[in-house]
């Protein structure tokens, strides 16, 4: 039975009675040009969860990770040669699947995978040329050599990279608007973010913590089959285009899982079926360790029709080999999961400029701040950072913090928020130098 709760504001207002389970308190404050709202005593998330994760070989994950590598490579080059990250964005990259023939014990590519490198990048600074196409091509080929080596020699790279200026450059007389130099700088002094960093867009970043045991299990299981693990080292037939969709009610889980097999290492239909039994046994073992006492039901490669030899059997271990497509922003969120019952936004963070693109920086910052708030309050934390284009990056238009703990030192929360906002220059350096893996 619910109890009456009082909704309190810290400015002149009449209390509003609600039917919330906990006393919800809201504090509104200003921080520079930012408006901060801190809610405490918010309800805990519902135990029901729907969780999806796409593995390292999934076309959307490939597109995300490749776009981010291009941004990192370009950023490192311009920092080394000019002392600053020049303007660029590769977050519209897309992959168009090739064609392949698959047989038990063999297979081959019959048409290449097309890599559409879409975006913008400054081609020079102060008259010194930047080898943009050479940087991009080298990274694309190295990326696929590491991720899907069977595709080496089967890539068709299409460059659609411009240096067109952003909208807003109005010509008046003979003067050249500063905005037209953003992607064609005379020197790094033409980069206004060298003086003050402004948000490039009106957008938002979202973060929450902590993960439930089921959400952590999803990440671990997909990484176990799609990344480098003891399992993939000892089972060469295991492909990386893994996909997980699960429903959790707090006591049991229903899971649909796709795990491809590489045809060169699968000699027959019987071998394929035996391998699927190995995967299922591994799934139940991991579930027993991470979800003790819970009932877990797995459906593996649900489209298989073994008697017709219609199987998730691939040459490369990824559906990108045969007609599937991958696009930046369609895969895992910055926290590595797709969670429709949790707060979530649709920004494609990978490939964005790490200096001022809020779709990247605010999502990372919100996620990290949520973890710190969870650790500080020992409760659920949710953070939303909302920007206004052209406003200072470190002063979001709106900041919403929601905490399940009813007893919170609001001043301490605001101090953590301020510390996060002050940390954007360091976050940029981390993205460029350390190569944070997003999603």
């Amino acid at each position: 039975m619910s109890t009456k709760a009082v909704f309190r504001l810290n400015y002149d207002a009449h209390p509003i009675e609600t039917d919330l389970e906990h006393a919800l308190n809201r504090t509104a404050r200003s921080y520079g040009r930012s408006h901060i709202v801190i809610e405490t005593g918010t309800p805990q998330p519902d135990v029901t969860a729907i969780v999806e994760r796409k593995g390292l070989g999934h076309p959307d994950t490939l597109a995300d990770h490749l776009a981010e590598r291009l941004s990192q490579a370009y950023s490192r080059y311009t920092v080394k040669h000019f002392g600053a990250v020049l303007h660029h964005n590769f977050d519209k990259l897309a992959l168009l699947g090739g064609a392949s023939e698959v047989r038990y014990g063999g297979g081959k590519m019959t048409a290449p995978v097309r890599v559409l490198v879409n975006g913008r990048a400054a081609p020079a600074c102060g008259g010194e040329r930047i080898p943009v196409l050479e940087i991009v091509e080298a990274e694309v080929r190295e990326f696929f050599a590491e991720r899907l080596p069977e595709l080496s020699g089967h890539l068709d790279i299409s460059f659609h990279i411009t240096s067109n200026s952003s909208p807003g450059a109005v010509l008046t007389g003979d003067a050249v608007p500063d905005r037209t130099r953003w992607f064609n700088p005379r020197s790094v002094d033409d980069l206004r973010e060298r003086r003050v960093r402004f948000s490039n867009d009106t957008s938002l970043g979202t973060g929450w913590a902590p993960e439930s045991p089921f959400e952590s299990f999803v990440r671990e299981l997909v990484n176990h089959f799609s990344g480098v693990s003891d399992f993939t080292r000892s089972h060469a037939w295991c492909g990386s285009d893994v996909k997980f969709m699960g429903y959790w009610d707090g006591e049991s889980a229903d899971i649909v899982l796709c795990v491809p097999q590489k045809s060169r290492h699968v000699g027959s239909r019987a071998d394929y079926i035996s391998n699927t039994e190995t995967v299922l046994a591994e799934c139940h073992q991991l579930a027993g360790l991470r979800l003790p006492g819970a009932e877990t039901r797995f459906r593996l490669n649900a489209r298989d029709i073994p008697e017709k030899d219609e199987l998730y059997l691939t040459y490369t271990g990824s559906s990108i080999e045969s007609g599937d497509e991958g696009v930046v922003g369609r895969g895992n969120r910055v926290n590595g999961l797709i969670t429709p019952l949790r707060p979530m936004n649709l920004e494609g963070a990978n490939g964005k400029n790490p200096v001022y693109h809020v779709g990247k920086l605010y999502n990372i910052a919100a996620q990290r701040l949520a973890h710190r708030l969870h650790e500080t309050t020992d409760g659920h934390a949710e953070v939303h950072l909302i920007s206004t284009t052209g406003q200072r990056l470190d002063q979001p238009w709106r900041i919403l913090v929601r905490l399940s703990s009813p007893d919170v030192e609001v001043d301490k929360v605001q101090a953590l928020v301020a510390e996060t906002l002050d940390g954007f220059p360091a976050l940029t350096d981390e993205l460029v130098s350390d190569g944070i893996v997003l999603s």
Side-chain angles (χ1 to χ4, degrees):
M1 189 170 88
S2 64
T3 57
K4 292 288 183 180
V6 178
F7 188 99
R8 297 184 180 88
L9 306 181
N10 76 328
Y11 49 84
D12 292 336
H14 295 291
I16 302 172
E17 291 192 348
T18 72
D19 287 328
L20 297 176
E21 293 290 339
H22 305 285
L24 174 63
N25 290 278
R26 173 180 290 173
T27 301
R29 293 185 173 182
S30 295
Y31 177 76
R33 295 183 64 186
S34 297
H35 184 79
I36 305 175
V37 172
I38 301 170
E39 296 179 353
T40 61
T42 60
Q44 291 277 3
D46 188 80
V47 70
T48 304
I50 300 172
V51 185
E52 180 182 2
R53 177 163 169 77
K54 298 176 180 179
L56 293 177
H58 189 286
D60 291 330
T61 308
L62 292 171
D64 278 337
H65 290 185
L66 177 56
E68 186 62 13
R69 278 194 47 163
L70 297 184
S71 172
Q72 290 165 359
Y74 180 85
S75 297
R76 289 168 183 161
Y77 182 94
T78 61
V79 167
K80 179 179 179 180
H81 289 81
F82 308 106
V85 175
L86 298 189
H87 287 198
H88 70 277
N89 54 273
F90 296 107
D91 58 320
K92 305 303 186 294
L93 182 144
L95 305 175
L96 302 182
S100 62
E101 291 181 357
V102 177
R103 295 180 175 83
Y104 291 118
K108 64 179 180 179
M109 295 294 300
T110 59
V113 170
R114 293 188 63 197
V115 182
L116 308 183
V117 184
N118 309 315
R120 288 185 292 172
C125 182
E128 182 178 339
R129 174 181 174 269
I130 300 170
V132 178
L133 301 189
E134 292 91 332
I135 292 171
V136 168
E137 181 169 1
E139 286 297 321
V140 169
R141 297 196 183 281
E142 183 178 343
F143 174 81
F144 279 102
E146 296 170 2
R147 194 67 64 90
L148 295 174
E150 294 87 354
L151 283 180
S152 294
H154 302 284
L155 298 172
D156 179 6
I157 306 172
S158 298
F159 301 100
H160 306 276
I161 304 172
T162 76
S163 57
N164 299 335
S165 65
S166 300
V170 180
L171 300 177
T172 56
D174 296 328
V176 177
D178 289 342
R179 191 169 298 213
T180 63
R181 303 191 189 281
W182 288 1
F183 282 86
N184 291 279
R186 295 164 298 185
S187 73
V188 294
D189 292 333
D190 279 337
L191 308 179
R192 66 174 186 172
E193 64 269 19
R194 299 274 288 176
R195 298 177 291 277
V196 180
R197 300 190 183 199
F198 294 98
S199 299
N200 77 302
D201 196 5
T202 299
S203 188
L204 77 158
T206 299
W208 50 266
E211 289 180 354
S212 70
F214 181 68
E215 288 159 340
S216 298
F217 167 70
V218 173
R219 178 184 287 100
E220 182 178 355
L221 185 72
V222 173
N223 290 352
H224 187 69
F225 290 123
S226 73
V228 178
S229 67
D230 290 341
F231 185 88
T232 55
R233 289 190 191 97
S234 59
H235 299 88
W237 47 261
C238 187
S240 59
D241 190 356
V242 176
K243 185 175 179 180
F244 181 113
M245 178 70 77
Y247 183 94
W248 170 255
D249 64 10
E251 297 179 352
S252 63
D254 268 325
I255 296 163
V256 178
L257 180 68
C258 295
V259 178
Q261 296 181 31
K262 292 187 178 183
S263 57
R264 288 180 301 146
H265 305 285
V266 180
S268 66
R269 180 196 300 173
D271 287 346
Y272 178 91
I273 294 172
S274 176
N275 292 340
T276 61
E277 293 170 352
T278 299
V279 170
L280 285 171
E282 192 77 1
C283 288
H284 285 292
Q285 180 180 356
L286 283 172
L289 292 172
R290 299 292 179 257
L291 304 171
E295 180 185 1
T296 53
R297 296 174 291 274
F298 291 90
R299 293 182 62 197
L300 178 63
N301 298 351
R303 288 176 59 178
D304 282 359
I305 307 176
E307 61 273 17
K308 293 184 177 181
D309 291 307
E310 294 182 9
L311 309 169
Y312 197 10
L313 191 64
T314 65
Y315 174 61
T316 65
S318 172
S319 61
I320 197 67
E321 74 181 38
S322 54
D324 207 350
E325 298 87 18
V327 180
V328 172
R330 288 174 51 91
N332 308 317
R333 302 298 89 197
V334 165
N335 68 353
L337 302 172
I338 301 170
T339 51
L341 301 187
R342 296 278 206 173
M344 192 173 70
N345 69 65
L346 300 180
E347 277 286 353
N350 290 276
K352 293 185 183 299
N353 187 305
V355 178
Y356 54 79
H357 270 232
V358 291
K360 170 180 282 184
L361 295 168
Y362 278 15
N363 273 292
I364 299 171
Q367 189 65 29
R368 291 183 173 185
L369 177 56
H371 279 285
R372 293 192 67 187
L373 291 169
H374 159 64
E375 293 169 354
T376 301
T377 65
D378 197 30
H380 180 75
E382 180 183 316
V383 176
H384 302 271
L385 306 176
I386 310 170
S387 68
T388 294
T389 185
Q391 185 166 315
R392 284 179 56 130
L393 181 71
D394 59 357
Q395 295 183 15
W397 169 53
R398 292 274 175 170
I399 302 170
L400 174 60
V401 175
R402 288 176 165 168
L403 305 168
S404 64
S405 176
D407 302 314
V408 172
E409 296 181 38
V410 174
D411 288 342
K412 190 171 184 178
V413 172
Q414 181 163 332
L416 288 174
V417 172
E419 186 178 331
T420 297
L421 299 178
D422 290 341
F424 283 123
L427 178 55
T428 295
D429 293 342
E430 186 180 353
L431 283 162
V432 173
S433 62
D434 295 344
I436 299 173
V437 177
L438 308 179
S439 77

